[in-house]
Amino acid sequence: MATAEEIAKAADRRDVRNRWYLSAPALLTIFFAAVGPLAIVLVYSFLTPGSYGDVKWQFSPEAWVSVLFERDIFDDTLSLAGAHISIFWRSVKLAIITTLITLALGFPTAYFMATRSEKTRDLWLFLITIPFWTNLLIRTFAVLQIIRNEGIVNTVLMKLGIISAPIQILYTDVAILIGMAYVYLPLMVLPVYASMEKLDFRLVEAGYDLYASRWQVLRRIIFPLVKPGVIAGSILVFIPAIGAYVTPSVLGGGKNMMLSNLIELQFGQGRNWPLGSALSITVMLIVMVALLVYVRNAGSKEMRHG
Amino acid sequence: MPEQPGKNAIEVRGVRKVFGAGEAAVAALDTVSVSIRENEFFTLLGPSGCGKTTLLRLIAGFDYPSAGEILLHGDDIALLPPFKRPVNTVFQSYALFPHMTVAENIGFGLEMLRKPKAEIKARVAEMLKLVRMEHLASRRTSQISGGQQQRVALARALAPQPKVLLLDEPLSALDYKLRKEMQIELKRLQNQTGITFIFVTHDQEEALTMSDRIAVMSAGKILQVGSPWDIYDKPADRFVADFIGETNFLTASIAGIENGKARATLKSGATIAASVADGFQPKSEATVVVRPEHAKLVKGKAELSGTVENIVYFGTDTHIHVRLDGSNDLFIVRQQNARNADCGFETGDKAGIAIGDDAAQVLRD
Ligand SMILES: Nc1ncnc2c1ncn2[C@@H]1O[C@H](COP(=O)(O)OP(=O)(O)OP(=O)(O)O)[C@@H](O)[C@H]1O
Ligand SMILES: [Mg+2]
């Protein structure tokens, strides 16, 4: 007689999902699109820079050291690389602020859409996705046209006599924030709308019935119930925002660098591919840590509710 | 019937509610007026779509009337938002907050009223005890049964001690046995708390057994308001008589109205006494109703005669369907069952139907 273990093994063998050749396409995709490139970046980060770009196949931890430290060219002592750290900090800060702005704008937008009649909802959804049809670069230049010194914002404000000289918005952090918030807003609206649409609005009525004001209903009922959408939206905005390249280079004017601009510098003018690789991996680590902290916090609040 | 305004918990005066506009406009409530007394178990009864929920939502404040006013203890509340009305609702779907525990759900209203923590705790414990849910206080509301959810919804609405409790078909999702239990429990709670209950149902039996007074609604109008006894025994019009219980409708010519009684001559030629509501002047030709349990099937001749067509056994009683001679209408007689004895008739038998002195009623239609 077969033991339970044997039966389980036989069932396992029969299970079509366990035949390796059927999973080959998926495994190949994962290898060539995700694990492989990452492994190359990791290996490069431990090599020595070549003199005209590229790398020399010679082990060196130097790239990782210079992610955070500067080596004094005279006495070889290490000191913290202030420039790098301030760029890290700027990037994280701008990404967080972008996430908050898109949340502040996207949440009411999603609420508005979810409370429309079923027929018109699709139209609103369609309008939200229209910007996706246009190239990112073009959208960014459109923002540039609006906020530059001779742009529509400054022109109108000056014509109205509110300001006498144009406000310098372009090439500041504010410009980068405006650009990123505009570009990533749909990424916040869509997931928040998706959970908002599933919200049972009778619960909102029940809240009002039990003496909750509008603000309390929002905070105690709507927000906890659409939190999965808010978490998803925040992740979707934060990750591309921290690695944004086009928007900060066009609107920040190269003065106000973000991480991607710094990385690009290493592969271009800097001719330091190992440092570029090490910085790339650092970005990934920052994102990972940020997500862990964020999701854990969001989750524990959920637990407190019940 | 004139009523003292001070004694009324809720007064609805000439309220209309129109949904949509122009061509598509629907009058969900068509000039409804009704007064609900303090500490009353008041039921809105009517078929699906007659406007029961709409009226309840206007009282709760989720919708605003197109015309008319709603008074709570004499104050017009028609334009107050729901969170400013001392009225709570038990929703048809319960609408419990899924991200909170049973206890948090019950305490929510008190928390919003900014009651002190200790008071909330005590009141929640009291409510849990009242609905017998102490053992499940810290469960999520998605992890309890339908009947338990219903009790939590009830406790949540009762906790802030509203002046009026609105219940929208709270028992419709429950199975028969649980529904019977909850009916008794609701009655007990109403007696214990002294809160005015406005209860919505389309189950006439539920309405008759639980209510102090019933309003029968149809197509956005209130047709009759009265005690269960009034509604059942003195239906004002054809719709009410038909909607509540089973009824036999007979056409008769009316003559000699005196002391609320008329002589009604049926098609069979027999004349019976039929009661007429106060102040109602029936035409010479009118409809007379006789409840199945107020008629008696006899072997010999009686007011009506016919052929037994069908015998339906119901456990406590038997319904005998008789095809009337002459008019060819169906007449139903209900007989109490006795132990070890059948009803005494068989399909195809000729039988007479005796209608007692107090059994018939002339309808307004
Ligand atoms: N928001 C709305 N928009 C348009 N019409 C509505 C709306 N709400 C209700 N109605 C209409 O008003 C009428 C009364 O509806 P209501 O919900 O009050 O019925 P009800 O008596 O509660 O029925 P049920 O027993 O099925 O719950 C119906 O014809 C319904 O279609
Ligand atoms: Mg209803």
Side-chain angles (χ1 to χ4, degrees):
Chain A
M1 242 175 81
T3 65
E5 205 177 332
E6 280 164 357
I7 293 172
K9 268 193 191 141
D12 244 16
R13 267 198 302 281
R14 276 196 300 276
D15 190 338
V16 102
R17 274 171 299 189
N18 291 331
R19 293 187 198 154
W20 66 269
Y21 51 86
L22 290 181
S23 16
L27 291 177
L28 284 175
T29 309
I30 291 171
F31 181 78
F32 281 109
V35 182
L38 200 58
I40 294 173
V41 174
L42 191 63
V43 170
Y44 268 38
S45 72
F46 285 103
L47 296 177
T48 312
S51 12
Y52 302 100
D54 210 336
V55 286
K56 281 200 228 118
W57 283 86
Q58 201 169 51
F59 175 81
S60 156
E62 193 58 29
W64 280 102
V65 173
S66 45
V67 166
L68 286 181
F69 300 100
E70 270 168 337
R71 201 178 284 279
D72 193 292
I73 42 170
F74 297 113
D75 59 10
D76 238 21
T77 52
L78 290 176
S79 57
L80 276 178
H84 287 187
I85 288 172
S86 75
I87 289 175
F88 285 153
W89 173 234
R90 270 172 51 84
S91 300
V92 172
K93 192 178 69 184
L94 290 181
I96 289 176
I97 298 175
T98 303
T99 310
L100 292 178
I101 295 174
T102 53
L103 182 60
L105 296 176
F107 194 91
T109 309
Y111 185 83
F112 171 83
M113 287 163 64
T115 48
R116 292 312 96 184
S117 76
E118 228 149 279
K119 267 182 278 169
T120 51
R121 268 186 227 168
D122 289 342
L123 175 71
W124 294 111
L125 208 55
F126 172 75
L127 291 176
I128 285 288
T129 50
I130 279 185
F132 281 143
W133 303 358
T134 317
N135 180 284
L136 172 64
L137 200 57
I138 295 173
R139 278 186 284 160
T140 308
F141 273 106
V143 173
L144 182 142
Q145 285 304 313
I146 293 171
I147 62 175
R148 73 200 167 100
N149 286 4
E150 301 78 31
I152 185 157
V153 172
N154 276 315
T155 313
V156 168
L157 286 180
M158 272 162 64
K159 281 262 160 64
L160 289 174
I162 296 171
I163 51 171
S164 52
I167 323 168
Q168 180 66 43
I169 307 174
L170 197 58
Y171 308 138
T172 63
D173 281 359
V174 175
I176 298 180
L177 285 174
I178 292 175
M180 291 207 297
Y182 166 63
V183 166
Y184 299 129
L185 184 60
L187 297 178
M188 178 64 84
V189 172
L190 293 178
V192 174
Y193 169 75
S195 17
M196 199 86 84
E197 199 194 14
K198 275 183 267 156
L199 181 72
D200 182 354
F201 277 88
R202 285 173 298 196
L203 297 178
V204 172
E205 287 190 346
Y208 286 136
D209 191 60
L210 292 162
Y211 313 108
S213 63
R214 290 181 183 87
W215 166 245
Q216 283 165 325
V217 164
L218 182 69
R219 202 172 64 82
R220 295 292 307 275
I221 295 164
I222 299 177
F223 197 77
L225 291 174
V226 300
K227 203 146 92 192
V230 172
I231 292 177
S234 304
I235 290 172
L236 284 180
V237 170
F238 181 79
I239 292 177
I242 199 168
Y245 172 71
V246 171
T247 314
S249 29
V250 173
L251 300 175
K255 253 193 331 199
N256 300 309
M257 273 202 272
M258 279 182 71
L259 272 166
S260 312
N261 311 108
L262 180 64
I263 293 169
E264 189 253 5
L265 202 62
Q266 306 314 319
F267 285 98
Q269 292 161 310
R271 291 180 191 162
N272 193 342
W273 289 20
L275 178 55
S277 306
L279 286 170
S280 305
I281 293 172
T282 310
V283 177
M284 289 180 57
L285 291 177
I286 291 177
V287 168
M288 234 157 75
V289 170
L291 287 188
L292 278 179
V293 169
Y294 179 62
V295 171
R296 171 149 325 161
N297 270 344
S300 69
K301 272 198 210 100
E302 185 76 25
M303 291 311 288
R304 234 185 323 115
H305 276 297
Chain B
M1 160 169 36
E3 280 162 294
Q4 299 146 280
K7 286 276 177 208
N8 289 331
I10 294 275
E11 260 187 86
V12 177
R13 287 191 192 154
V15 163
R16 276 175 65 77
K17 178 68 190 175
V18 182
F19 288 112
E23 296 272 303
V26 189
L29 286 179
D30 190 2
T31 330
V32 165
S33 297
V34 63
S35 301
I36 295 150
R37 298 181 196 133
E38 264 176 49
N39 305 344
E40 190 171 37
F41 197 116
F42 191 89
T43 299
L44 298 171
L45 174 65
S48 189
C50 69
K52 307 180 296 286
T53 298
T54 305
L55 182 54
L56 223 54
R57 288 174 61 81
L58 293 182
I59 296 173
F62 302 134
D63 272 321
Y64 298 104
S66 313
E69 48 187 7
I70 297 173
L71 281 71
L72 177 80
H73 292 283
D75 303 319
D76 191 355
I77 56 163
L79 294 175
L80 276 188
F83 53 87
K84 293 200 175 136
R85 300 183 183 202
V87 169
N88 286 152
T89 308
V90 178
F91 293 84
Q92 184 161 7
S93 54
Y94 310 145
L96 298 177
F97 304 128
H99 55 298
M100 299 181 197
T101 63
V102 167
E104 284 167 341
N105 263 278
I106 297 175
F108 187 82
L110 296 165
E111 213 182 306
M112 292 301 111
L113 289 172
R114 299 185 194 285
K115 299 278 186 215
K117 280 233 158 60
E119 188 188 327
I120 296 180
K121 213 172 150 212
R123 183 93 183 120
V124 168
E126 189 187 332
M127 282 297 117
L128 283 167
K129 195 156 167 247
L130 190 70
V131 296
R132 306 189 180 118
M133 291 282 296
E134 298 106 314
H135 55 300
L136 295 176
S138 51
R139 279 270 187 94
R140 286 270 191 137
T141 51
S142 51
Q143 296 164 346
I144 55 178
S145 77
Q148 290 165 342
Q149 285 181 21
Q150 210 260 310
R151 300 216 292 267
V152 175
L154 199 61
R156 185 180 70 173
L158 282 171
Q161 288 169 304
K163 297 221 170 90
V164 177
L165 187 69
L166 309 175
L167 304 103
D168 193 353
E169 305 198 31
L171 307 181
S172 61
L174 307 181
D175 66 55
Y176 182 79
K177 203 158 179 300
L178 190 56
R179 191 157 75 228
K180 289 283 157 210
E181 272 175 40
M182 287 308 301
Q183 285 176 359
I184 293 167
E185 203 145 339
L186 273 183
K187 252 333 238 192
R188 175 178 69 87
L189 284 174
Q190 201 244 341
N191 285 336
Q192 240 167 322
T193 56
I195 293 172
T196 307
F197 276 37
I198 305 181
F199 185 87
V200 163
T201 182
H202 56 232
D203 180 343
Q204 43 128 336
E205 189 189 319
E206 194 166 277
L208 290 173
T209 53
M210 299 179 73
S211 320
D212 294 323
R213 286 195 309 151
I214 299 172
V216 182
M217 295 182 67
S218 169
K221 286 196 163 73
I222 291 184
L223 301 179
Q224 187 174 2
V225 181
S227 67
W229 185 83
D230 276 341
I231 298 280
Y232 187 80
D233 261 357
K234 298 183 192 156
D237 67 8
R238 194 180 185 103
F239 180 89
V240 177
D242 203 18
F243 191 72
I244 313 282
E246 270 179 302
T247 310
N248 296 299
F249 294 98
L250 302 166
T251 321
S253 49
I254 306 296
I257 303 167
E258 211 177 291
N259 294 335
K261 290 270 182 203
R263 274 184 296 117
T265 309
L266 304 176
K267 274 194 184 150
S268 64
T271 298
I272 57 174
S275 47
V276 180
D278 281 343
F280 169 48
Q281 206 48 55
K283 292 192 286 266
S284 60
E285 176 109 331
T287 304
V288 168
V289 285
V290 180
R291 293 284 182 195
E293 66 274 21
H294 296 155
K296 202 163 175 290
L297 209 56
V298 294
K299 290 271 167 164
K301 274 187 91 65
E303 281 82 4
L304 292 166
S305 63
T307 315
V308 175
E309 195 171 281
N310 209 351
I311 298 173
V312 188
Y313 179 69
F314 272 93
T316 54
D317 47 29
T318 301
H319 293 193
I320 305 163
H321 298 214
V322 181
R323 183 70 63 187
L324 295 180
D325 293 339
S327 69
N328 221 16
D329 288 336
L330 208 56
F331 193 103
I332 300 170
V333 177
R334 185 183 302 165
Q335 269 186 10
Q336 195 81 36
N337 285 335
R339 218 173 136 77
N340 299 328
D342 63 13
C343 67
F345 292 90
E346 270 174 51
T347 321
D349 281 359
K350 279 274 173 201
I353 299 169
I355 296 170
D357 237 12
D358 230 6
Q361 153 105 13
V362 183
L363 276 191
R364 248 182 251 264
D365 56 352

